């Protein structure tokens, strides 16, 4: 189970909107396991496929309450609002206050291809929305005010 390399801004794969996955295969399950391993080794609470250069609607999340593997996740209900600082493994050094729904219901396929529905609030709801942003090509820096964003873009790329 290899650790995957995490792509960082401004890598163009981070702006991709992957197509929906079809039938769940053994290769998909293996990719989800590799993503989970990579998330744990990087001490993240979530990771989306595009962050490891994979053009698929996959995400893994663990806020310390157990691992969730999601295929084709879609938010079907949102309620309330809450603003909190967020970081991202693909935007090292950036911390951005993001306004998100306080509670969500997310629908997805699990790794066996079964349809699951999960009700979440607080940090879990936030992590789900953050990962779903990744799967539509959106990053936390897109929530920054324009002056701060300009500064971030001009910062030299670290290698
Ligand atoms: Ni992120």
């Amino acid at each position: 189970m290899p650790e995957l390399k995490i792509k960082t801004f401004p890598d163009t794969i981070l702006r991709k909107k992957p197509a929906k996955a079809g039938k769940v295969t053994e290769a998909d399950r293996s990719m989800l396991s590799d993503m989970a391993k990579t998330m744990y080794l990087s001490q993240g609470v979530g990771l989306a496929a595009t962050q490891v250069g994979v053009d698929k609607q996959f995400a893994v999340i663990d806020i310390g309450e157990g691992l969730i593997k999601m295929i084709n996740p879609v938010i079907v209900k949102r309620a309330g609002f809450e603003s909190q600082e967020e970081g991202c493994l693909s935007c090292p050094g950036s911390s951005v206050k993001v306004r998100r729904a306080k509670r969500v219901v997310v629908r997805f396929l699990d790794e066996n291809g079964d349809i699951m529905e999960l009700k979440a609030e607080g940090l879990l709801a936030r992590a789900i929305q953050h990962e779903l942003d990744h799967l539509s090509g959106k990053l936390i820096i897109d929530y920054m005010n324009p002056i701060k964003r300009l500064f971030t873009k001009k910062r030299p790329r670290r290698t």
Side-chain angles (χ1 to χ4, degrees), residues 51 87-90 130-131 134:
Q51 290 184 273
C88 177
L89 294 170
S90 293
H130 180 115
E131 298 320 321
H134 275 301

Side-chain angles (χ1 to χ4, degrees), residues 15-129:
R15 296 305 189 181
K16 272 224 150 194
K17 297 174 188 180
K20 292 241 178 269
K23 196 173 178 296
V24 185
T25 65
E26 204 47 57
D28 293 336
R29 282 187 277 275
S30 154
M31 173 54 60
L32 284 160
S33 294
D34 290 348
M35 285 172 58
K37 186 188 181 192
T38 305
M39 171 184 74
Y40 290 126
L41 288 171
S42 318
Q43 296 180 311
V45 296
L47 192 70
T50 46
Q51 290 184 273
V52 289
V54 173
D55 190 11
K56 297 212 168 174
Q57 290 276 343
F58 293 170
V60 292
I61 292 177
D62 189 346
I63 61 157
E65 296 174 354
L67 177 60
I68 304 164
K69 294 171 178 172
M70 301 191 294
I71 298 169
N72 300 344
V74 179
I75 290 172
V76 292
K77 247 183 227 171
R78 304 166 194 268
F81 284 103
E82 204 168 45
S83 288
Q84 290 225 327
E85 295 274 332
E86 285 179 27
C88 177
L89 294 170
S90 293
C91 309
S94 290
S95 172
V96 185
K97 200 162 200 178
V98 186
R99 187 171 186 259
R100 298 202 188 271
K102 206 170 178 175
R103 290 179 298 279
V104 296
V105 177
V106 63
R107 190 177 293 161
F108 57 95
L109 296 180
D110 71 6
E111 58 182 340
N112 300 313
D114 294 324
I115 299 171
M116 308 294 284
E117 217 170 74
L118 176 70
K119 255 188 203 176
E121 59 175 67
L123 179 58
L124 183 56
R126 181 162 293 274
I128 289 167
Q129 292 170 85

